[in-house]
């Protein structure tokens, strides 16, 4: 009570440190005032200490869970970034700077999410450490309180006990207030991060970050790359066939050269089904390959 | 004199360091009053560094009350404001 009055009367020139400590004291005093028999305070407070210990341990576990979730997302984003860089490299190798640029743009977006998550991860880790240390400190104080509680109960009458109880109680309740505040802050931070993690999950699901695993939009870069490697398969197939024809029938060389340039475009404009005259008879086998490009590419080496 | 850094623990600080702590504390309070987050952060960190440098940590199993309590290292100005009222951050 005295503490409360003091706080109000002199707050203006007291400074932050003193005011904060008086707020802690006022809370402790109010809890003490409620007790009829001071010794009752000991048991009641001890129960609350044990509850708080449970709570702070649960808090540590909650923060750890959030941290693991962020870690999982970081791994997913890292895989995506790697995959996009791979795609960019392939696209450049095929002379498609536009595709490479598109892939790198998405990679940059994934990377910026990743950086954000890294910062969050560090914060959660720090929060987890702080709470762990806080829970150990509280445990030590609770143990000390329990010892003192037994001594007080055994040796003092209710009247005599008052001062000693007040001392023990003030010390522990300041710690409890502080730990309670630490839990509160950790919960707030965790909640914020869960909201952001949820947002990133949604972003990944939408394909905007080009989810490497199941995103729907990923195929535009990949399928163009696939199509291009298919078309280079067609090229090599063509030159192989041309080689056969050239050695067998030199006359058809002109027709073959003609078909060559058209065949190179055919897989890109898939609508153009009209077949160039003579060499086209061998082509239908290779055109569908552009739909399932990966296997022929591997097969042909 | 016992000083607690919230979220960090209690320190025993020599009374000789009080003047410097008070000076930094006034800066902190002034920064809060004029709503200057940058000055607030630098004053808070200065204050905490001073306590850590001048003080020695109390053993975890002591049950002593602190004379002064400081906000945690990463506290925002708003959080400190709410620590200054009984309805604020400190759970009842």
């Amino acid at each position: 009570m005295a503490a409360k009055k003091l706080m109000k009367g002199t707050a203006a020139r007291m400074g932050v440190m003193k005011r904060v400590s008086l707020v802690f004291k006022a809370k402790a005093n109010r809890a003490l005032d409620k007790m009829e028999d001071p010794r009752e305070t000991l048991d009641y407070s001890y129960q609350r200490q044990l509850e708080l210990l449970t709570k702070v341990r649960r808090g540590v576990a909650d923060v750890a869970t959030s941290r693991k979730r962020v870690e999982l997302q970081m791994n997913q984003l890292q895989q995506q970034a790697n995959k996009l860089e791979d795609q960019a490299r392939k696209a450049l190798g095929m002379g498609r700077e536009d595709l490479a640029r598109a892939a790198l743009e998405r990679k940059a977006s994934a990377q910026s999410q990743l950086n954000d998550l890294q910062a969050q991860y560090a914060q959660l880790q720090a929060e987890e450490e702080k709470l762990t240390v806080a829970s150990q400190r509280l445990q030590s104080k609770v143990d000390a309180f329990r010892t003192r509680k037994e001594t007080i109960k055994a040796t003092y009458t209710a009247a005599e006990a008052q001062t000693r109880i007040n001392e023990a109680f003030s010390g522990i309740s300041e710690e409890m207030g502080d730990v309670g505040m630490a839990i509160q802050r950790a919960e707030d931070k965790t909640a914020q991060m869960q909201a952001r993690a949820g947002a990133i999950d949604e972003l990944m699901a939408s394909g905007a970050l080009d989810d490497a695993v199941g995103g729907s939009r990923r195929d535009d870069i990949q399928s163009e790359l696939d199509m291009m490697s298919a078309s280079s398969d067609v090229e090599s197939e063509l030159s192989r066939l041309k080689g056969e024809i050239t050695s067998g029938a030199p006359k058809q060389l002109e027709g073959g050269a003609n078909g060559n340039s058209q065949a190179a475009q055919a897989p890109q404009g898939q609508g153009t089904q009209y077949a160039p005259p003579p060499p086209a008879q061998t082509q239908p086998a290779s055109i569908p390959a552009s739909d399932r490009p990966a296997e022929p590419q591997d097969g042909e080496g | 004199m016992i000083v607690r850094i919230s979220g960090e623990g209690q320190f025993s600080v020599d009374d000789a360091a009080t003047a410097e702590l008070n000076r930094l504390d006034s800066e902190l309070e002034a920064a809060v009053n004029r709503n200057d987050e940058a000055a607030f952060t630098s004053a808070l960190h200065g204050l905490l560094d001073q306590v850590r440098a001048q003080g020695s940590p109390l053993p975890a199993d002591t049950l002593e009350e602190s004379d002064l309590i400081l906000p945690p290292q990463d506290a925002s100005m708003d959080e400190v404001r709410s620590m200054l009222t009984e309805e604020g951050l400190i759970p009842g």
Side-chain angles (χ1 to χ4, degrees), chain B residues 21-44:
Chain B
L21 290 184
N22 281 334
R23 189 187 67 74
L24 289 163
D25 190 30
S26 306
E27 274 182 29
L28 182 68
E29 191 176 31
V32 172
N33 287 341
R34 63 171 195 275
N35 211 18
D36 183 344
E37 187 92 48
F40 161 83
T41 305
S42 97
L44 177 61

Side-chain angles (χ1 to χ4, degrees), chain B residues 19-91:
Chain B
E20 177 63 4
L21 290 184
N22 281 334
R23 189 187 67 74
L24 289 163
D25 190 30
S26 306
E27 274 182 29
L28 182 68
E29 191 176 31
V32 172
N33 287 341
R34 63 171 195 275
N35 211 18
D36 183 344
E37 187 92 48
F40 161 83
T41 305
S42 97
L44 177 61
H45 290 181
L47 197 48
L48 301 187
D49 286 346
Q50 188 71 16
V51 171
R52 292 181 195 121
Q54 303 287 325
S56 48
L58 283 191
D61 61 355
T62 49
L63 288 175
E64 288 190 69
E65 217 177 351
S66 307
D67 299 294
L68 301 171
I69 299 181
L70 285 168
Q73 169 88 17
D74 59 348
S76 70
M77 206 157 56
D78 281 344
E79 281 178 309
V80 169
R81 278 204 191 93
S82 66
M83 283 177 77
L84 296 176
T85 69
E86 280 195 58
E87 292 72 36
L89 270 184
I90 305 154

Side-chain angles (χ1 to χ4, degrees), chain A residues 182-237:
Chain A
I183 296 174
Q184 186 62 51
R185 298 179 93 236
E187 277 175 3
D188 290 350
K189 280 192 186 161
T190 309
Q192 279 173 20
M193 288 184 191
Q194 275 171 345
R196 289 162 81 179
I200 289 179
D201 274 344
E202 277 175 30
L203 203 60
M204 289 205 273
S206 77
L209 281 179
D210 184 26
D211 190 331
V213 189
S216 51
R217 280 186 50 196
R218 75 161 184 121
D219 285 333
D220 51 2
I221 290 180
Q222 190 60 49
S223 68
E224 261 203 77
L225 284 175
D226 291 347
M227 203 183 290
M228 283 163 60
S229 42
S231 103
S232 76
D233 288 346
V234 171
E235 293 290 334
S236 62
E237 188 91 337

